[in-house]
Amino acid sequence: GDPAEPKGMVGAFVTHLPYPMTGAQQRAVSEILTDMASPVPMHRLLQGDVGSGKTVVAVAALLAAVQGGHQGAFMAPTEVLAEQHATAVRQMMQGIDLAADDNLFGVRGVEVAVLTNRTPAAMRRKVSAGLADGSVDIVIGTHALIQESVEFCSLGVAVIDEQHRFGVEQRAALRSSNADGSVPDVLVMTATPIPRTAAMTVYGDLDVTVLDQMPPGRQPITTTLAHSEEEVAGAWDLVRAEVAAGNRAYVVCPLIEESAKIEASAAE
């Protein structure tokens, strides 16, 4: 049958989205909410191409933890990604209220914090205190989240983006970050299509959800190889045209600095 409609804050979040969720996203949210409601800690892998909408599903999971009176942590592979995700999640949280008994209105906004190695010391202390006393609801960060000084009041769910950069030890560290010894639910996200056999060895302990549907309006991604000099020149023409139109282009180089050993183009 159809996936159950999410209720409460998660339902408000889904309703507030500027576009309807795809069927695959609804299924994923439904599976995750079912897992989170069960007494056994969730251990799920969410797999889907770039652009398939994994972040929205992850935010629904974070909110489900907050709705249950717990906290959510989102672990990103880089500081820049952590900061970008935090900006996006704060925008998504606007208009979503949380019951609160510490103010006259009886509600407050969802408190989203960032924690990376770039976070200034004073801010880091403030975020750490908020995680320990429960006033920070959602924290988005890098592996700085699993340093020994970070303790949660009640971590309900940990979302880990791009698993292959984080080992099993890091997952274990996040799972043991609650002072009372309770184990949070864990959702691992990856854009890498993993063959079933490899998934069994790398993620043998995880249930798998696949986002196999792109949100409407997403253009399919085409990949082409530029072999001849003319084709390479054409690729740069495309870059110029896109940049002139106000869009962005990414150039990925195999090296950051030039190397005497490897003859390859360097980013610098």
Side-chain angles (χ1 to χ4, degrees), residues 51-195:
S52 59
K54 293 189 293 292
T55 308
V56 167
V57 174
V59 174
L62 294 170
L63 264 182
V66 175
Q67 183 170 312
H70 304 286
Q71 294 160 300
F74 186 110
M75 200 151 127
T78 66
E79 291 167 349
V80 172
L81 270 171
E83 285 158 14
Q84 285 176 345
H85 280 313
T87 305
V89 171
R90 282 192 183 116
Q91 280 177 325
M92 290 176 181
M93 293 298 112
Q94 285 177 350
I96 295 178
D97 289 328
L98 187 57
D101 46 18
D102 58 358
N103 69 34
L104 291 171
F105 302 104
V107 293
R108 63 177 178 84
V110 178
E111 189 62 40
V112 180
V114 184
L115 190 62
T116 73
N117 289 334
R118 291 210 299 212
T119 308
M123 192 63 197
R124 179 184 284 257
R125 282 194 294 275
K126 192 178 164 198
V127 172
S128 291
L131 290 175
D133 70 15
S135 58
V136 169
D137 301 303
I138 295 174
V139 64
I140 299 177
T142 53
H143 50 269
L145 291 177
I146 52 173
Q147 285 161 354
E148 272 139 40
S149 57
V150 180
E151 198 169 87
F152 290 82
C153 171
S154 176
L155 180 61
V157 68
V159 179
I160 305 174
D161 193 6
E162 287 297 352
Q163 172 64 17
H164 45 265
R165 308 205 193 162
F166 298 117
V168 175
E169 301 83 13
Q170 280 95 331
R171 253 199 275 169
L174 264 177
R175 291 177 77 191
S176 59
S177 52
N178 279 335
D180 66 359
S182 60
V183 178
D185 291 312
V186 175
L187 179 68
V188 176
M189 303 201 302
T190 179
T192 319
I194 302 162

